[in-house]
Structures are given as structure tokens and as C-alpha cells.
Amino acid sequence: MNPQTLLEGLILSLVAIAGGAVVLTRDPLNQALGVSFFGLMLSAMFYIFQAPDVALSQMVIGAVALPLIILLTLARIRRNTK
Amino acid sequence: MKLRLTLFGLGICGLVALYGTVIAHMPGPGKMHSPYSRAINKLCVPQRHVTDAVTAVNFDYRGFDTLGEEFILFASVMGTLVLLREAAENKGPLSGDSASEPRNVRPTEAVRVTALALVGPTVVFGVYVVTHGQLTPGGGFQGGVVLATAPLLVYLADDFKTFKRITSHALIEISEAVGGGMYAVIGAIALVLSRPYMTNVLPLAQSGGIASGGIIPLISIATGLEVAAGFVLLLYAFLQKTLAERESS
Amino acid sequence: MFLWPPLPVVLPLFTAAFVAAAGPYLPRKLVDAITLGTAAAVMAVCCLLTLQSSGSAIVYWFGAWVPYGHFPIGVAFVIDPMGAGMAAFVAFLVMAAFTFSWQYFDDVRTLYHSLMLIFLAAMCGMCLTGDIFNMFVWFELMSAAGVALCGYHADETGPLQGAINFSVMNTLGAFLSLSGVAMLYSRTGALNFAGIEVALQRQEHLGVFLPIVFIFVIAGFLVKSAAFPFHFWLDDAHAVAPTPVCILFSGVMVELGLFAAARVYYSVFAIALLPWLPALRTLFLAVGATSAIVGGLMAFGQRHLKRLLAFSTISHMGVMILGFALFTSTGLAGTALYVLGHGLVKGALFVGAGILLNRFQSVDEFALQNVGRQMPKTAIIFILGAVGLAGMPPFATYFGEAAIEHSGTQAGLPWISIVIMLSGFLTAGAVLRVAGRVFFGWGEKPTGESRAPRIDLKREMQGQKSKTPPTMWLPAAVMLIIAIALGWFTPLRQAILRDATWFRNTRGYVAAVLHGSAGGPGQYHVPVPHAMPGMHIGGVWMPDMWREVITLALAALLAAIALFPYAIGRRAGTALRHGAALAMRPLHAIHSGKIGDYVAWFTVGIAALAGYLALRR
Amino acid sequence: MTTYAYVVAAWLFAIGLFGIVTSKNLVHMCLCLTVVQASTYLLLTGVGYRPGGTAPIFVNLPAGAPIVDPVVQALMLTDIVVETTVVALMLALTVQIHKKTGNCDPNATTALQG
């Protein structure tokens, strides 16, 4: 097995685990962190699978913009609850 | 709930089995047969003088898809604005409940300085990514999101006056619309010359240069403008209430 | 030739951006005029395209990317009269909605206009595109604009759950569709419909791959077309969406789901899936019949006016799916005519509901009892609408039904007529019952036992009006008149039959796309169409009219029984009501309004459809 | 590895659906939707991948090197935009629902029953 294949297998497994973790985390705040990690893993996956354009998109979106929007949503919901 | 889970259990077993059947019929590694990708890989440098094939597909070969995609962003941002603005209006921006809010913790001086110091490089990097999409990975979309984080850094640095000034709502809204409209108009240049919509009619310049690709860099800039403005608006919509409160405190 | 084809999409998109930017600084009247004008221009262009494309399809390669050695590398619009005609119809209904909303919304900013125009562009894109990923893009744009419009000044202050349900279901469907597209691409390496078709012909050992992928690809369209059991989101979305938006949701958006499924089937899969044709027929007939009956029953069980109309849409969608499921030209032509007739009639009925909502701030049947005594125009809208839903001859719906029934009988499926009758009977009965109660004050007051959905409405409209402005009832009148006129216009019916024949011509389609010149017409031969059966009524001859008369009479009887259950005796009436309530309980239970249930149904539905095809050959 | 990518895609699709069906919070549900979406990324990545291939950037590429499919990558870019915007729109709806009903439980009794 060459290192590239090994790397591919590893990152795919990590994506699978991170995805499962996002779903199974029931607390939205922890989940936001999970999504951030999941996004990062996907981004790494794209990079390893030779898709740098997509990796860059996924990085700015999945690991930064999306978690930010989620946190802001949670903040607003919490505010409303008070 | 029990009925739902039973139903779902049945369904998902079937669905996974079917999905598996399809996977088993999909060609294995190295046996993929895609005339499309072969054609693009062969044509994109000679035809478009563009070194990043993904950008060529995105903004030229399948540029019409990207026009639709731009407007998906546009529609969603407007929808979010509508929904959240109304929520703010119902109570009025400065209603009483802000007083009971715990004061937000002020960032330390170190955070402020770092955040402000990062604004410049972020803008430069964003502009670079937007304008070099035809050469290296990146393009209007990725660069646009990077640009959108610049005002956010100003916000993190707790400089609300500047934040409000640079994110003047009307201006940003107009930039977003201009970005979207510009894309539609660039495509229409070809119509004037009686060529099909989105035809790349500009001179292509030397491959590897920043002006290579004809209309591709222009479209990329339009996209960057739209995406950056769109994401600022999204963040703004979610931040709106917090902002009003911070300002009053 | 280079100018017209992209305009139905590009023009509204550009105007949407313009209105979003400049709208706040322009007078509202001007914005209204600009947007209405854009919709009118789109309609004009689409009509032109319909005429231009009859005889030879227009193949338009964006960016002048003509096929590279007969392999498509760009995105194409493939415009045939069926698609262009559908786009023209979309634009017409958008015009009607704009006219209606002229005085319906007041304080609204111009974002509404922008979103409506984007919605229009997306629907036109769906009609005209010849590329599977491009279709996915317009589908997503349609959903995004639709969800935003759904939550826009929602008619009910209650939960916006309807919009969430809409969004989740459609997005899930779209993801499964996209997965299907990826799977197809792995075997064919193409995204253009014709390109995929040609590549599939060359493939061997496809086995059950193809039928499963077909169901995956059309999953999103099935959800959109509100076929049972994917229909649940539709009535929820209609319950909360603003009325002018409902006109579009019911009138064309749902129908476009079926259109897209038919387009994908006939331009990509038809020949490759030939061994599965009997199984496909059984499948879609079952889905259509179930939708028709479940939708009808649920419509009759509603007291929320807009949900009632939404369920009736589900029922009529069932009829249209039946027409498609016959896989004949006549059946497809009948469906097309039915789409036109139903869209117009349903649009008029939603306008009627909107007028009531505007004046009385309610769409609850019981709350509205007897309030409409002084509203003859609205009463006429409702009664004519019921007649149209029952499929009575002056309306285009009749001619659609007649063609579907004829084709069904020829295929040895006479029970189709009974299902169509049932659908008309239940939905027309429901509308007549409402009309009787609201405009004539008939019927007993509700007792405690009846289901009472919480209905509280926000005042989104311009206060209470003592008089309904003509911009509100006029669209309904125009729509009803056109629904009648279309049916009588014999050349139109002939043209639709011819267009349906070409729509089904897979080989002609592929040849036109891959061997035509850039932007120029691709030549193909249309087989000489037979006259549309049961429909040449140059004189007064109307063969199957008795069915529709019986349907309408029974519907009136049903409405009367529902209004005066005790006329047949206290005990018999009580027994009837309890019996009906008991029978309807399971149906009400599955329409739970909870998204988790809907997703479970979605999973089971897709597994059942694809599984059936995989196991049958 | 492409087959493994497909298997992970199937897993993400299934687990995401499971999350949506059992979700007790609308925010959680939106995030499960992103997991379902991620399954389409994996599928597309797998479809476009060539073993030993390089990214489709034509700078100093050795002649004859296998190149991964740029078309599916362009599709994925569109896909990512769609995801973000749809999720943002749904989160905005969630905020609105929470504001009006005081909770974000998708199983709360709604006016849409029956």
C-alpha cells in the first residue's frame, strides 16, 4: 500500500467518524464545534483527493462561515428564551 | 414516534441496500470513463488560456450554472434578511430586554490589535484569491468569503463605529445586487455581438497572465463582489440585534 | 435567434438584482410596473419561442460551446413547444400574482418583487434546460426562492414550521437527485440529457443500476410534485405562504416537478428503461391513484381554506401523474391540458381565498360562515372554481380528463376514470361546501367535536377593506375566462397533442441536440399526430360528458350532506358524522405536521419505488 | 479507495437521515442536513478521482500524467454554495419559529396537524 492510498483511507475514516459525531451530538453548541471539525476533515479530504479549489471553498465555508452562523443563531435563540 | 422509527428503520434498510447495489455497479478505480473530463482537460489551456480547469468549467464552459448558483445565494440572503429583519422590527431594535442582558465581555487589547492588524492582510488575500482564480485554486467564490471576514474582524476588535460605517446596510445590499446583476450583464455582452449568451468574446491574453481567460476574471470579480456582500449581509442579519444592544450600552 | 432563448431566465434575474438595489429609492408604483412588465416580457418571449420551436426544437449552447466531436461540453437550452409553453404559462401566473399583490401587500419592501422574479426565472430555467445539472441548479433556486417567499410575511403568525418542512423535504429530495446525477455520471461521464442518453446506449451490464438510479434522480422532482407519500410538505407550506405565492405554488411549481420527471424520463431513460416499462406503469399508476384519493379525502376533511385548496392540488396532481403514468402521447397531452386548466382554476380559487382573508382576516370555514352574503363576485369565483375542479365541459380541465380517460380505456385501465371522478367529486364537494357556508350561510354551526385547528392571522394586508379592489378579483375572473376559452380552442389541443408526441420522441431529441448546429434549429421528424380523441367538438358533440355531470351532481350532494347532516334524520346524521370522523382518523394522523415523520415516509417511499423496480424486470 | 469513498457516502446519507428523523432540535436538524449533503461530496469526489492523478492545474504538469476530473469539482463548488445558503435560510426560519413559539422542537404540536 502506498502512502497516498493509506492517507486516503485514513481521511475517509475520519470523515465518516466526524459525520457520525455531528449527528449523534445532541447539544447544538457542541454540535457547532463538531460541524467545524467535520468541515475541516472534508476540506482535508478534498485536498488529498486532488481538489484544491473545492478544499479552499470548504475551508472558508465549512470551518469558518457555517459554524459562525450557527453560533450566532444559538446566541439569538438563547436571547429570546430569556 | 415508535411508528415513525419502525417506518424509518424499514425504509433506511431498503435505501441502504439499494444504494449498495448501485455502488456495486459503479466503475471501480481507474476504470472511470469520462469523455467530458478528457475533453475539458485537453481543451481548456488551448481554448481559454486558463491554467485552472475548475475555474474554466465554473466560469466559462458551465458558466450558466454558476449564474444560477449566484442567485441561489442571492435569494437565500434576501430570504434571511426578510425573516430576521421582521423579527427585529416586532420588538423594535432597542427594546427593554437589552438592559437585562449581561454586558458582553470586552475583548482584551491584544485581541483588538491582532484583529485590526489582520484586516489588511485578509483584504489583500481575498482580492488575490478573487483575481487569480483562472491561474491557481480559488476564484470569486472563495475569495468573496475571505473578503467577508474582514468586517467581521473589525467587529471582533470592538470598533462598532467603523463596523457600522463599513457595513452600511444599503451600500452592501446594493453591492450584492450589483454583483449579481453584473454577472448577468457580462453574459449579455455577447448578445450585443450576436453570439450566444455567455460567449467569451474578450481577448484571451497570454496563458498564465492575470488577464488571461477573457471574461473569466470579470465574472470572477462579479462573483466575488456578490459573495462578499452576501455573506456580510448574512452575518449582519444574524448580528443585527446584538449590534443594536451593544451600541446602546 | 441568439437573443431570445436566454431571456426568460436572464431578464427576470437581472430585473431582480436591479429592483433589489434600486427598489428602495423608487416609488412603489414604478417597481410594481417594472416587475409586471418583466413578467409580461418573459411571457411574450416564451410565446415567441413556443411558435419558433414548433416544427424544430431550438438548441441553444451557452457560451457557444457546441458539442466537441458530438460530445456536449457546455450547457444547453433545448427548447421545444411543450417546455416553452409551460414557461409562458408560468410567466402568465406570475403576472396574475403580481396584479393580485398590487394592493394585497402594503408596507412590503421590494424584496418581495425580487424574490418573485427569481422564482419566475428558476421555473423558466426548469422548463427550458437540456442539462441535468443545470436542472438541479434551477430546482435549488426555485426551492430557495420558494422557501423565502413562503416565510415572507407569513399569513399565519403561528409556527413557520410549514416553511421548514418545505425546505427540508425539498432539500433532501434534491440531495438524493444530485447523488443520482453523480452515479449516472460515473457510468456515462456526461451531464447533457442527450449526452447521457447516447452514453447509456453504449453501456453494457447496467443491470438494476439504471432503474434504481432513475428513481434517485427523480426523487427531488417527486417530492416537488407532491406525489404520495412525498406530498406532506405541500399542504403545510400552503397553509403559511402568502396567498399570491400560493397561486404559483399550486398553479405551476408542483406541476413543474412532474414536468421535470417526465423530461428526464423521455430524454434520458426512456429507451434504456424499456424492459421496465410495465413495472414503471404499475408504479406510477399506483402513486397517482393514491395521491388522487388521499388528497381528495383530506381536502374534504379541512376547514382551513388554504389547506383545503392545497390538498385538492395534491388530489389533482394525482390525476396528472395518472396521465403521465400511461406513457402514451394522448395521456401526456391530456396531462398538459389538465395542467393549464387546473393551474388557472386553482389560481382563481386561491385569489378567492385571498379576498376573504383580506377582508375578514380569516380563512377558517366556520369563522367565515355567512359573512359573504354581499360578495357576489367572490361567490361566483368559488362556484365556478368548483365546477372547474369537477372537470365540467366548458373548462380546459374537462378536455385534459377526457384525453387521460380515453387513453386509459384504450390501455385497458377503465378504473382510471373512476379515480378521476372521485378526485373531482371530493374536491369540488369540498369547495361547494365552503361556498354554501360562506356565501349563503347554510349549514349547522360546528359542535365541540369537530377538529379545530388554531388559526390566528396576522394583519399583513392593508387593513380591513369595505370593498374589494378590482386588482384583486380581476385576476381570478381573467383566469377563469381563459380556463374556459383554452378548452374550446381546438387548434391548441391539436398542437398540444403534436408537442406531446415530440416530447416523447427520445431519438428525435437526441439527434436535435447532438447533430444540430450551434443555436440553429435541429431537424427532426414529428410523426403525423392523430386527432386528439374524444375532443373534436367543432359542433356540440361531447362524448363522455355524462361522467362529469354525475361527478358535479354527486359533489353538490356531498356538500349538501356535509352542510346539513341531520336532514337525513338526527341519528343517521350523527352516525354518519362519527363514521366519517373515525374513517378519516388514520389519514389525519399521518399528516402530523412533524418533519421527522415526513422524512421517514420519504425514506420508505423511495425504498419502495426503487426496490419494486429493482426486483421486477 | 473510490469504493470506500462511496461506502462512506452511503453511511453519511443514512446517519444524516437518522439524525433528522430523531432530531429534537431544529438547529440540530439543520446540521444533520449538512451531513446528508456531505454524502454527495464524497460521491462526487469518488466519481472524479483518478488513482495517482493530480489536480487539474496546468502549471508544470508532466505530459501524460493522469488528471482528476475538473467537471465534478466545479459541480461540488456549486454544491457547497447551495448547502451554506440553504442552511442559513433554515437557521433564520428556526430563529423566527423560536421567537413565535418559544421552542425549536420539531415535534412540538403545531397548527399544521391533520
Side-chain angles (χ1 to χ4, degrees):
Chain A
M1 236 182 199
N2 65 33
Q4 168 77 15
T5 320
L6 212 63
L7 206 57
E8 287 168 15
L10 186 71
I11 193 68
L12 285 177
S13 308
L14 279 172
V15 166
I17 293 167
V22 169
V23 171
L24 298 177
T25 315
R26 295 285 161 171
D27 174 48
L29 200 61
N30 292 339
Q31 218 192 357
L33 296 175
V35 163
S36 184
F37 180 70
F38 183 49
L40 216 58
M41 287 303 107
L42 280 173
S43 176
M45 194 264 301
F46 289 134
Y47 193 75
I48 290 170
F49 278 82
Q50 302 295 331
D53 279 277
V54 191
L56 191 56
S57 290
Q58 178 61 33
M59 182 84 92
V60 292
I61 287 294
V64 182
L66 196 59
L68 194 68
I69 292 174
I70 295 164
L71 288 178
L72 292 174
T73 308
L74 289 174
R76 274 189 83 144
I77 286 176
R78 199 152 298 176
R79 197 176 308 264
N80 284 346
T81 317
K82 277 191 186 141
Chain B
M1 194 70 184
K2 205 172 165 195
L3 180 75
R4 181 198 294 185
L5 284 178
T6 322
L7 257 182
F8 177 72
L10 273 175
I12 201 71
C13 288
L15 200 60
V16 167
L18 291 161
Y19 209 107
T21 317
V22 171
I23 290 175
H25 281 84
M26 277 159 78
K31 297 203 180 113
M32 219 72 79
H33 168 83
S34 172
Y36 204 158
S37 80
R38 262 185 285 131
I40 297 287
N41 282 335
K42 196 168 124 195
L43 297 176
C44 82
V45 178
Q47 278 187 336
R48 282 293 162 258
H49 303 196
V50 160
T51 49
D52 184 348
V54 179
T55 306
V57 174
N58 230 356
F59 291 138
D60 198 330
Y61 293 93
R62 300 186 66 84
F64 195 58
D65 279 349
T66 311
L67 176 69
E69 177 211 313
E70 287 308 286
F71 276 88
I72 294 177
L73 177 71
F74 190 78
S76 300
V77 169
M78 285 201 295
T80 310
L81 281 183
V82 168
L83 284 165
L84 293 181
R85 173 183 296 139
E86 226 208 330
E89 271 170 8
N90 282 352
K91 274 194 169 179
L94 296 173
S95 59
D97 66 344
S98 62
S100 60
E101 281 291 312
R103 283 281 296 276
N104 288 299
V105 188
R106 296 244 153 201
T108 64
E109 209 60 24
V111 171
R112 300 189 50 177
V113 172
T114 320
L116 282 179
L118 278 174
V119 172
T122 308
V123 173
V124 172
F125 180 59
V127 171
Y128 176 84
V129 174
V130 168
T131 50
H132 285 68
Q134 67 277 27
L135 306 174
T136 50
F141 178 68
Q142 295 92 329
V145 184
V146 173
L147 280 177
T149 52
L152 197 78
L153 285 170
V154 178
Y155 173 81
L156 279 180
D158 215 27
D159 189 351
F160 300 119
K161 273 207 193 109
T162 317
F163 179 73
K164 291 280 287 189
R165 194 151 6 108
I166 59 176
T167 60
S168 152
H169 205 267
L171 192 67
I172 298 280
E173 244 177 35
I174 290 175
S175 338
E176 199 210 7
V178 168
M182 207 167 115
Y183 199 138
V185 169
I186 293 171
I189 296 173
L191 289 181
V192 182
L193 305 171
S194 76
R195 307 288 314 276
Y197 189 76
M198 293 247 7
T199 305
N200 199 337
V201 286
L202 295 186
L204 294 168
Q206 176 131 39
S207 169
I210 188 148
S212 65
I215 61 168
I216 292 178
L218 287 182
I219 294 185
S220 187
I221 290 168
T223 310
L225 186 63
E226 211 247 303
V227 171
F231 271 89
V232 170
L233 281 177
L234 267 188
L235 295 176
Y236 192 88
F238 279 99
L239 272 172
Q240 208 173 29
K241 202 151 173 233
T242 324
L243 266 186
E245 280 157 14
R246 279 208 179 181
E247 209 172 10
S248 67
S249 63
Chain C
M1 191 43 91
F2 285 116
L3 185 59
W4 306 120
L7 281 190
V9 173
V10 175
L11 188 66
L13 285 185
F14 177 74
T15 317
F18 173 75
V19 167
Y25 312 102
L26 297 175
R28 164 78 194 263
K29 284 258 154 58
L30 186 61
V31 174
D32 278 331
I34 291 173
T35 47
L36 193 64
T38 307
V42 170
M43 190 175 105
V45 171
C46 289
C47 289
L48 186 76
L49 288 173
T50 314
L51 293 178
Q52 277 188 351
S53 62
S54 55
S56 64
I58 301 171
V59 182
Y60 189 88
W61 295 99
F62 284 93
W65 289 117
V66 292
Y68 173 71
H70 296 310
F71 186 85
I73 54 171
V75 178
F77 267 5
V78 181
I79 302 170
D80 63 343
M82 197 85 135
M86 189 76 189
F89 184 56
V90 168
F92 174 76
L93 282 192
V94 171
M95 281 170 70
F98 270 137
T99 316
F100 177 73
S101 51
W102 201 296
Q103 287 179 320
Y104 188 72
F105 290 128
D106 189 25
D107 63 329
V108 194
R109 284 202 33 203
T110 50
L111 289 182
Y112 166 76
H113 298 86
S114 278
L115 285 170
M116 286 285 272
L117 286 172
I118 293 176
F119 197 46
L120 167 66
M123 290 193 285
C124 288
M126 288 278 285
C127 294
L128 305 180
T129 191
D131 185 284
I132 201 160
F133 190 75
N134 197 239
M135 191 173 242
F136 169 79
V137 168
W138 300 125
F139 183 83
E140 276 292 341
L141 182 55
M142 192 161 90
S143 295
V147 171
L149 283 167
C150 193
Y152 198 98
H153 276 262
D155 270 351
E156 291 198 31
T157 46
L160 278 165
Q161 200 102 35
I164 280 264
N165 291 358
F166 175 17
S167 168
V168 171
M169 286 310 292
N170 279 280
T171 314
L172 269 183
F175 291 166
L176 195 53
S177 287
L178 184 61
S179 303
V181 170
M183 292 160 178
L184 261 185
Y185 185 86
S186 80
R187 283 307 285 248
T188 62
L191 293 171
N192 184 288
F193 287 146
I196 301 174
E197 210 277 340
V198 170
L200 280 181
Q201 296 297 322
R202 296 204 191 108
Q203 294 280 316
E204 285 163 10
H205 314 297
L206 280 169
V208 290
F209 172 83
L210 210 54
I212 301 176
V213 168
F214 172 62
I215 295 294
F216 284 3
V217 169
I218 64 165
F221 307 141
L222 285 177
V223 170
K224 192 62 106 188
S225 67
F228 182 89
F230 314 113
H231 66 278
F232 297 99
W233 61 272
L234 181 111
D235 45 283
D236 294 352
H238 278 72
V240 299
T243 309
V245 178
C246 284
I247 298 175
L248 297 179
F249 278 14
S250 256
V252 278
M253 182 185 77
V254 182
E255 285 78 355
L256 270 181
L258 183 62
F259 175 89
R263 170 70 91 204
V264 169
Y265 178 76
Y266 283 119
S267 47
V268 178
F269 289 95
I271 296 176
L273 276 183
L274 217 50
W276 277 273
L277 188 60
L280 278 172
R281 185 176 287 144
T282 317
L283 207 59
F284 282 103
L285 284 176
V287 167
T290 320
S291 306
I293 292 169
V294 169
L297 286 172
M298 284 302 290
F300 197 77
Q302 295 299 316
R303 54 184 277 188
H304 183 301
L305 222 57
K306 282 165 72 180
R307 292 199 79 190
L308 184 152
L309 293 176
F311 275 114
S312 122
T313 298
I314 292 169
S315 177
H316 296 288
M317 272 313 295
V319 174
M320 295 173 218
I321 293 171
L322 284 177
F324 166 69
L326 292 165
F327 293 104
T328 59
S329 295
T330 317
L332 197 65
T335 303
L337 253 180
Y338 199 83
V339 167
L340 297 181
H342 168 262
L344 292 164
V345 169
K346 190 54 66 67
L349 280 170
F350 268 113
V351 168
I355 291 174
L356 290 175
L357 178 60
N358 187 37
R359 260 181 85 166
F360 306 108
Q361 320 292 308
S362 173
V363 280
D364 181 45
E365 185 185 336
F366 291 106
L368 289 171
Q369 180 149 23
N370 205 16
V371 299
R373 279 192 166 281
Q374 306 302 320
M375 302 174 77
K377 288 190 207 89
T378 318
I380 292 172
I381 292 173
F382 268 84
I383 292 167
L384 278 182
V387 174
L389 289 185
M392 277 297 278
F395 285 92
T397 43
Y398 162 75
F399 298 97
E401 277 185 16
I404 296 173
E405 285 175 5
H406 176 88
S407 184
T409 316
Q410 275 195 334
L413 301 161
W415 56 266
I416 285 182
S417 311
I418 298 171
V419 173
I420 295 177
M421 274 178 81
L422 261 176
S423 158
F425 159 68
L426 287 166
T427 54
V431 175
L432 283 177
R433 185 194 71 204
V434 170
R437 203 185 301 275
V438 174
F439 301 106
F440 300 94
W442 294 337
E444 273 106 16
K445 285 277 172 197
T447 48
E449 70 193 72
S450 59
R451 306 175 51 84
R454 289 191 308 274
I455 292 174
D456 54 332
L457 291 155
K458 204 175 63 180
R459 301 178 41 120
E460 61 157 44
M461 291 75 55
Q462 283 188 326
Q464 218 156 328
K465 284 231 160 54
S466 54
K467 209 165 177 300
T468 308
T471 51
M472 289 177 77
W473 59 261
L474 208 61
V478 172
M479 281 192 270
L480 286 173
I481 290 168
I482 294 181
I484 292 171
L486 279 185
W488 288 102
F489 190 48
T490 322
L492 177 84
R493 299 203 303 272
Q494 289 302 333
I496 284 182
L497 182 64
R498 189 198 59 210
D499 301 341
T501 315
W502 190 71
F503 191 87
R504 294 180 63 244
N505 181 356
T506 310
R507 288 189 205 287
Y509 181 93
V510 171
V513 174
L514 296 184
H515 303 285
S517 55
Q523 291 301 321
Y524 59 89
H525 299 287
V526 180
V528 181
H530 309 287
M532 204 139 166
M535 306 186 59
H536 20 215
I537 42 165
V540 207
W541 177 64
M542 287 176 208
D544 293 335
M545 200 178 131
W546 57 271
R547 286 209 196 100
E548 279 68 26
V549 175
I550 292 176
T551 307
L552 192 62
L554 284 177
L557 187 68
L558 180 69
I561 293 176
L563 286 170
F564 303 105
Y566 304 128
I568 52 172
R570 193 50 62 191
R571 288 183 61 188
T574 315
L576 197 67
R577 291 186 63 159
H578 282 292
L582 201 66
M584 287 293 286
R585 194 170 292 163
L587 268 187
H588 280 298
I590 63 170
H591 292 83
S592 61
K594 290 168 190 161
I595 184 66
D597 292 340
Y598 297 177
V599 175
W601 278 106
F602 169 79
T603 323
V604 167
I606 293 291
L609 293 186
Y612 177 78
L613 285 182
L615 297 175
R616 283 288 294 266
R617 167 128 197 193
Chain D
M1 276 306 122
T2 26
T3 315
Y4 186 38
Y6 299 152
V7 172
V8 174
W11 154 254
L12 289 181
F13 202 96
I15 190 82
L17 278 182
F18 170 77
I20 296 175
V21 169
T22 57
S23 186
K24 293 189 173 58
N25 186 316
L26 284 173
V27 178
H28 173 264
M29 203 176 67
C30 295
L31 300 189
C32 290
L33 207 62
T34 66
V35 174
V36 177
Q37 169 120 34
S39 89
T40 63
Y41 302 158
L42 279 142
L43 210 53
L44 285 168
T45 309
V47 166
Y49 190 56
R50 306 281 175 274
T54 43
I57 317 284
F58 296 99
V59 185
N60 303 328
L61 266 189
I67 298 161
V68 302
D69 190 337
V71 179
V72 288
Q73 295 194 6
L75 303 191
M76 273 190 278
L77 283 179
T78 304
D79 202 8
I80 287 175
V81 183
V82 170
E83 174 210 350
T84 331
T85 52
V86 167
V87 169
L89 192 55
M90 280 170 56
L91 286 174
L93 280 170
T94 306
V95 169
Q96 190 76 325
I97 287 174
H98 187 272
K99 177 148 192 101
K100 284 177 172 166
T101 64
N103 69 56
C104 346
D105 185 0
N107 296 315
T109 320
T110 69
L112 299 173
Q113 225 159 358

